[in-house]
Amino acid sequence: MSQTLQSVRGMNDILPDEAEFWEVFEETVRSWLKSYGYRPIRMPIVEPTPLFKRAIGEVTDIVEKEMYSFEDSLNGEQLTLRPEGTAGCVRAVIQHGLANQIPRRLYYIGQMFRHERPQKGRYRQFHQVGVESIGFAGPDIDAEMILMGARLWDDLGLDGIELQINSLGQPEERAQHRAALIAYFERYQDILDEDAKRRLYTNPLRILDTKNPALQEMCAQAPKLIDYLGAESLAHFEGVQQVLKDAGVPYTVNPRLVRGLDYYNLTVFEWVTDKLGAQGTVCAGGRYDGLVGQLGGKATPACGFAMGVERLIALIKESGGEPAAPAPDVYVVHQGEQASRLAFRVAEGLRDQGIDVLLHCGGGSFKSQMKKADGSGATFAVVIGDDEAATGEAQLKFLREEGAAQLKLKVDDLAEAIIGQLIDSDEEE
Ligand code: HAM
């Protein structure tokens, strides 16, 4: 016998119980995005590899070790499964001239792929809600994006998600800081690990991102970027903080927050929880004023963030959140040839009236069908046998109340009776 095939390691099936939870989550997210004026965009999952190299940076974990890249065997093109959405979104904005209609507020929801070591909260296929605003230069949009996060946690009933912010300044300020960092790290050549040595002259800022405990103390004492920021960058950072203070959103300035992608400048931020173990960052982003120009568009400021859906769903569950289990209003039970034909007509007719119907499929005795009706969570069963079919009638049974009466009704009167009872039971709740 051949071996059963399994999903790829780190890439998960989302089964119906879980997927329903996701849908409720996505509904909340979509209405939250709409309330801030964001519009959807859907980009391909596969993009040309050079897009990510240029956008995210050659000397980053994502580009160096985590991309699923392959050659298209038909035309030799180098392609990559997207590890994130900002690069593709900006590519699409440039390609379709959307940048000429700036300012733009866009969002996407979808799969991303990174070849990381799978663990709780870290997967090789994961989902992000990405939010991008193109064409705004001031600190107001950075701050609004952060406030958006605070509101969503509230809408989702989550608390204890802490906000960390930092400013990465502008490229020339970072260049001065970089020179100081290199000089500093050169004094510690003997303790630098392989990764740090390799990054010393290519991307020394990334050394601060190290997970190696032996380097933590040295990194803590390293020159701080904030000390190299000029007046304009500091004013931008102040502007963001002012709005956060006015809105009463608590935050911590974390000078070591450098992010794992190279396109950022000025404001960067992360929302972090301690309830998910090591993978506690549920949302992260910042300003990326250079990216549109770098990818061939007209220089345009931009800012954005992305949330990890798996992590947020885990946090909602951890906080005792229950998905609203969607149940049909009606389960249609039927037996006999005439009854089955009528059952189809009844089910479609009820749906025409906006009633959610599960039509029993697969036959079986009345008793076993009634069990399924009960298990479905439906409020009513509509029961049709050949006797009822002959007179164009059906039994309406209320499933959620012990000993409730069973009504025999003309099938054309079912919708009215069901809607009436649904309204009554809503009022009682
Ligand atoms: P990122 O920090 O790489 O940023 O990812 C954003 C979020 O995606 C993380 O905070 C985390 O919640 C989730 N995430 C990342 N990797 C994984 C993984 N392997 N498994 C599960 N969840 C994961 C970006 O991707 C930027 N594009 C964000 C952005 C948008 N910046 C500006 N605009």
Side-chain angles (χ1 to χ4, degrees):
M1 213 168 68
S2 61
Q3 215 183 341
T4 2
L5 293 171
Q6 304 280 314
S7 63
V8 176
R9 190 163 121 80
M11 304 200 185
N12 302 316
D13 296 311
I14 299 162
L15 303 179
D17 278 351
E18 183 78 7
E20 273 159 4
F21 203 118
W22 281 55
E23 289 194 353
V24 176
F25 169 81
E26 284 168 9
E27 267 167 39
T28 309
V29 164
R30 286 204 167 87
S31 72
W32 159 75
L33 286 162
K34 197 158 164 279
S35 78
Y36 281 90
Y38 283 82
R39 300 183 63 203
I41 181 166
R42 300 183 186 213
M43 302 84 66
I45 283 175
V46 177
E47 296 275 1
T49 305
L51 172 69
F52 299 116
K53 290 193 173 167
R54 262 160 78 180
I56 298 169
E58 298 265 3
V59 192
T60 56
D61 277 352
I62 297 180
V63 169
E64 283 183 325
K65 341 182 202 177
E66 295 170 1
M67 294 207 303
Y68 283 92
S69 297
F70 56 97
E71 188 182 293
D72 183 329
S73 60
L74 298 179
N75 63 7
E77 203 179 346
Q78 294 300 319
L79 303 175
T80 294
L81 296 185
R82 62 182 185 191
E84 59 103 50
T86 309
C89 183
V90 169
R91 187 227 9 95
V93 163
I94 299 168
Q95 183 174 336
H96 302 286
L98 299 183
N100 300 329
Q101 306 164 29
I102 53 175
R104 284 262 142 211
R105 284 173 154 97
L106 301 168
Y107 78 87
Y108 46 86
I109 303 181
Q111 282 96 330
M112 307 292 157
F113 301 84
R114 297 184 192 174
H115 196 112
E116 299 189 84
R117 199 168 55 79
Q119 53 188 286
K120 183 172 173 258
R122 170 165 297 192
Y123 308 101
R124 289 182 175 171
Q125 177 188 260
F126 60 98
H127 296 71
Q128 282 185 346
V129 175
V131 184
E132 316 287 358
S133 68
I134 319 280
F136 300 91
D140 46 2
I141 193 81
D142 312 20
E144 190 190 59
M145 288 191 139
I146 295 172
L147 295 190
M148 284 176 79
R151 178 174 300 279
L152 183 64
W153 315 145
D154 215 44
D155 290 352
L156 293 171
L158 297 174
D159 49 30
I161 305 182
E162 284 176 14
L163 172 64
Q164 300 189 355
I165 61 172
N166 190 21
S167 174
L168 299 184
Q170 297 294 12
E172 55 283 11
E173 293 156 352
R174 278 209 300 282
Q176 285 175 16
H177 173 241
R178 181 190 144 98
L181 262 187
I182 293 176
Y184 175 82
F185 286 134
E186 278 174 337
R187 306 212 308 265
Y188 293 91
Q189 286 275 10
D190 48 329
I191 65 162
L192 294 184
D193 60 17
E194 281 312 305
D195 257 357
K197 278 191 184 136
R198 201 164 35 80
R199 289 172 169 180
L200 178 55
Y201 300 105
T202 50
N203 201 342
L205 198 66
R206 196 66 67 229
I207 299 178
L208 298 176
D209 218 11
T210 181
K211 305 204 170 64
N212 181 351
L215 302 185
Q216 299 292 328
E217 179 55 29
M218 177 200 63
C219 287
Q221 303 302 324
K224 298 204 172 24
L225 178 56
I226 193 106
D227 296 328
Y228 292 79
L229 299 191
E232 264 188 48
S233 296
L234 286 173
H236 189 101
F237 198 33
E238 267 306 311
V240 175
Q241 294 181 63
Q242 192 57 57
V243 178
L244 298 182
K245 283 181 194 145
D246 288 349
V249 173
Y251 62 90
T252 310
V253 176
N254 175 1
R256 294 186 54 196
L257 182 64
V258 293
R259 309 280 299 121
L261 307 96
D262 281 352
Y263 47 61
Y264 294 108
N265 68 315
L266 294 173
T267 321
V268 288
F269 58 93
E270 292 193 357
W271 290 95
V272 186
T273 173
D274 58 10
K275 292 185 189 148
L276 294 178
Q279 309 307 323
T281 308
V282 290
C283 175
R287 183 162 276 286
Y288 52 93
D289 293 330
L291 189 58
V292 180
Q294 206 178 311
L295 294 181
K298 186 168 145 272
T300 308
C303 186
F305 63 91
M307 305 183 278
V309 177
E310 283 80 357
R311 292 184 192 178
L312 276 171
I313 299 258
L315 190 59
I316 296 169
K317 288 188 174 164
E318 168 75 33
S319 318
E322 278 292 319
D329 299 316
V330 172
Y331 193 101
V332 180
V333 167
H334 55 95
Q335 204 182 38
E337 200 193 322
Q338 290 307 314
S340 297
R341 290 174 61 187
L342 183 60
F344 267 95
R345 188 157 73 73
V346 166
E348 290 299 333
L350 294 178
R351 291 184 188 117
D352 284 344
Q353 303 300 316
I355 297 167
D356 292 343
V357 181
L358 208 59
L359 173 68
H360 180 83
C361 289
S365 67
F366 270 127
K367 195 166 163 215
S368 75
Q369 292 191 34
M370 283 307 292
K371 250 194 179 153
K372 294 220 164 80
D374 245 340
S376 75
T379 314
F380 300 97
V382 165
V383 184
I384 310 173
D386 275 343
D387 286 352
E388 284 90 358
T391 54
E393 288 173 318
Q395 308 269 358
L396 179 65
K397 192 168 165 30
F398 198 50
L399 292 173
R400 303 292 139 211
E401 210 170 275
E402 278 298 311
Q406 191 161 315
L407 302 173
K408 196 170 200 182
L409 295 171
K410 285 277 177 211
V411 292
D412 291 339
D413 297 334
L414 277 170
E416 198 180 328
I418 290 167
I419 291 169
Q421 298 242 20
L422 283 174
I423 293 171
D424 283 354
S425 60
D426 262 3
E427 281 168 359
E428 272 165 33
E429 269 167 21

